[in-house]
Amino acid sequence: MAEAAERLIPELSRRSVVRGAAWTVPVVAVATTAPAFAASAIPCPVVPPSSQWSATTITSGTPSSKVDGYAWDTAADKWIVYKDNASSSTTAMVLATTSPPFAVVPGSTNAGSFTFYWQYGNGAASQSAQGTFEVLLNGSTVLTTLTRPGTTQAFTTQAISFVAPAGSSTATLTYRYTIEPPAGKPASDDIVVTKVAFGSCTVH
């Protein structure tokens, strides 16, 4: 495990957006009104703290027997997956979901972001297998990102947006990490993810 992640989460360390339409008053006619389709800003949904997510579980594949972290760091609201895939042929999937669901305005458009960090297991590409991280809203994937995307290891801000179903006043958010078979490598890529924060929310 690289020193940067160990400093970040020492207790889990392992291996050494719509603008409203304007209206004007014509010189002769009466004032026009805003179009019916104009969007209005509303309070954004608040994603529950990590203590109100379901326990992080490995839902498929074969996990390594090593005691590697895969859980929420509740003090920092960060989701950490340091677990290795022990299967040479099957992906391993790690999952956590908000429980209970959180409140949303039916039909609203909600835009937000979170921070995503990845690093090689054992600190080396030659030692580690790639992973795919997804954010799901109500079971549908709204964002997918890979470890080792051709850039250096870094904290990156990831933007997401979803439309709440017209007939529902609640939503569930799921983090899912899928780890490729290691193909003889002793480790899998590690990730650290912050909780989603919604900051621009509108309804028509």
Side-chain angles (χ1 to χ4, degrees):
M1 183 69 198
E3 293 182 359
E6 291 179 352
R7 290 194 298 269
L8 177 68
I9 314 291
E11 64 276 19
L12 287 176
S13 62
R14 54 119 155 190
R15 302 180 283 268
S16 295
V17 310
V18 177
R19 180 178 304 166
W23 61 273
T24 58
V25 180
V27 174
V28 178
V30 296
T32 60
T33 57
F37 58 82
S40 301
I42 59 172
C44 285
V46 178
V47 176
S50 53
S51 59
Q52 295 181 27
W53 289 57
S54 62
T56 298
T57 57
I58 297 177
T59 59
S60 66
T62 306
S64 167
S65 59
K66 297 178 182 177
V67 184
D68 295 333
Y70 61 110
W72 276 96
D73 174 358
T74 56
D77 264 351
K78 291 181 173 66
W79 195 62
I80 300 96
V81 179
Y82 293 164
K83 199 67 175 174
D84 293 329
N85 183 357
S87 171
S88 60
S89 59
T90 306
T91 58
M93 185 178 294
V94 187
L95 197 72
T97 300
T98 52
S99 179
F102 54 94
V104 295
V105 174
S108 61
T109 299
N110 305 276
S113 64
F114 62 94
T115 300
F116 178 75
Y117 172 79
W118 71 274
Q119 69 174 14
Y120 300 118
N122 286 353
S126 61
Q127 294 281 304
S128 192
Q130 189 174 28
T132 301
F133 175 73
E134 298 168 274
V135 177
L136 294 80
L137 265 300
N138 295 331
S140 298
T141 300
V142 295
L143 180 140
T144 300
T145 189
L146 301 173
T147 59
R148 65 183 80 191
T151 60
T152 57
Q153 303 164 30
F155 285 93
T156 59
T157 298
Q158 304 284 331
I160 68 168
S161 180
F162 83 102
V163 177
S168 178
S169 59
T170 61
T172 58
L173 178 70
T174 299
Y175 282 175
R176 183 167 67 192
Y177 186 49
T178 304
I179 309 169
E180 297 300 319
K185 299 175 181 179
S188 298
D189 287 351
D190 301 331
I191 62 170
V192 178
V193 190
T194 63
K195 190 182 69 175
V196 171
F198 292 105
S200 179
C201 305
T202 57
V203 67
H204 290 282

